[in-house]
Amino acid sequence: MKGLEMKISTADMYKISLPHRSPFKTSFGQMTSKDFILLVLHDQDGNCGYGECSAFTTPFYTEEFRDSAYLLLKDMLLPALLNQELTAPDQLAGLFAKIRGNHMAKAAIDSAFWDLFTKRQHQSLAEAIGGIKKQVTAGVSIGIQPSPSALVATVSAYVEAGYQRVKVKIKPGADYAYPKAVCDQFLRLELMADANSAYTLSDVATLQRLDALKLLMIEQPLAADDLVQHAKLQQELKTPLCLDESITGLAAAQTMIQLGSGQVINIKVSRVGDQTNPSPGTSSLIQ
């Protein structure tokens, strides 16, 4: 598209540790800060776009971690991007096609490029990607609390602040009683539970107890690569399963659907946001 060409002339990266207001505890452990990379892309006209690489300091969530992503961005991804003549974000996938995986590092560039692209088009990001909603329901994710009563107190504060969807972290020994206490206190609250791969198929009976709570979903109860096991578990549960770490792209989503491994997908830009050039025909698999 003549006249719309843009070149990324320079890029800046910053390693940032943003302290949490309170410790965030999951089945993986406890975090006291959100550590990430802030990426700033500058074009030839002096405009800039901002993106974030959300890789953690250790590779417990995905294979990537912050220092590995930083090196990949500095040594491979950004050099492949700088001074290339581009007209649209979907051209990025071709630039990085020879670099396997590392979606969080690539997503930092993708999101920064989208920010820059829409600013140059004088559009909001929502307009550029076809969004039509003016408002969305706000939700919050709450770490594992010391007790069910402590969880209820924490949820109460968020509900009073206006949150209408709540996801609570669970793990063996801190599961059924915790969301049940919330359900007993808030009858109409949209409530979800997130296990972060803390369970195995031997825990079916424990997870079946959660059916009585009529949760919106149980997220990632089993290991990330256990799509077959998730399918077996979903057959034993009334509550929809949601997959997060398991969904690495459209191919994984297709496998989930075909196997019946779950009914909901947690889509995170930081995990799959760089995949802007899917194979023909795959985009119709998820409605």
Side-chain angles (χ1 to χ4, degrees):
M1 299 174 65
K2 202 65 179 173
L4 295 180
E5 296 88 352
M6 56 185 289
K7 292 182 180 180
I8 305 301
S9 56
T10 59
D12 300 314
M13 289 195 294
Y14 306 91
K15 290 183 180 180
I16 296 177
S17 295
L18 187 66
H20 289 161
R21 295 180 62 183
S22 59
F24 190 76
K25 187 177 181 180
T26 72
S27 60
F28 289 134
Q30 181 170 285
M31 294 177 288
T32 57
S33 65
K34 173 54 183 167
D35 302 327
F36 61 97
I37 299 168
L38 179 65
L39 173 67
V40 188
L41 299 180
H42 304 268
D43 70 8
Q44 75 275 23
D45 298 320
N47 303 302
C48 62
Y50 296 87
E52 176 183 326
C53 175
S54 294
F56 293 92
T57 52
T58 60
F60 68 88
Y61 177 65
T62 68
E63 294 85 350
E64 292 178 83
F65 57 101
R66 188 171 67 167
D67 285 348
S68 70
Y70 188 94
L71 288 175
L72 187 70
L73 283 161
K74 179 175 70 72
D75 295 342
M76 295 185 183
L77 296 178
L78 289 174
L81 173 68
L82 293 178
N83 297 312
Q84 294 288 331
E85 193 171 90
L86 303 170
T87 58
D90 60 8
Q91 294 173 302
L92 294 175
L95 291 180
F96 307 140
K98 294 183 179 180
I99 299 175
R100 181 176 296 184
N102 291 280
H103 298 304
M104 285 184 160
K106 293 176 182 177
I109 293 178
D110 186 72
S111 55
F113 196 94
W114 269 104
D115 185 32
L116 183 54
F117 174 77
T118 54
K119 287 175 179 175
R120 289 174 60 93
Q121 306 302 312
H122 304 290
Q123 286 183 300
S124 69
L125 178 59
E127 291 171 332
I129 63 177
I132 57 174
K133 288 187 176 182
K134 299 299 182 182
Q135 294 180 329
V136 295
T137 301
V140 63
S141 180
I142 301 175
I144 297 172
Q145 301 297 302
S147 65
S149 60
L151 176 60
V152 169
T154 301
V155 171
S156 297
Y158 281 114
V159 170
E160 290 177 8
Y163 289 93
Q164 300 174 50
R165 300 167 65 93
V166 173
K167 182 166 70 175
V168 298
K169 300 289 186 177
I170 61 172
K171 68 175 184 177
D175 38 48
Y176 175 75
Y178 287 71
K180 183 181 185 303
V182 176
C183 288
D184 290 344
Q185 183 71 25
F186 302 97
L187 300 180
R188 294 184 177 86
L189 183 65
E190 296 184 354
L191 186 64
M192 301 158 277
D194 186 1
N196 291 114
S197 302
Y199 297 88
T200 68
L201 274 183
S202 64
D203 298 306
V204 168
T206 297
L207 295 171
Q208 283 177 326
R209 294 188 69 198
L210 296 173
D211 280 339
L213 304 180
K214 298 182 179 180
L215 303 173
L216 286 181
M217 66 187 195
I218 301 171
E219 184 172 331
Q220 200 67 48
L222 310 180
D225 58 353
D226 276 352
L227 288 172
V228 172
Q229 303 301 317
H230 274 104
K232 293 179 179 179
L233 178 61
Q234 182 65 93
Q235 293 175 0
E236 301 295 329
L237 299 177
K238 296 178 182 178
T239 307
L241 292 183
C242 169
L243 298 188
D244 178 355
E245 295 95 320
S246 296
I247 306 303
T248 55
L250 283 171
Q254 179 182 16
T255 303
M256 182 200 87
I257 293 169
Q258 291 180 343
L259 294 178
S261 306
Q263 301 177 44
V264 185
I265 295 175
N266 186 343
I267 300 176
K268 293 179 178 175
V269 172
S270 62
R271 194 183 69 247
V272 297
D274 70 292
Q275 300 179 64
T276 54
N277 190 26
S279 301
T282 55
S283 60
S284 63
L285 292 171
I286 302 176
Q287 303 294 330

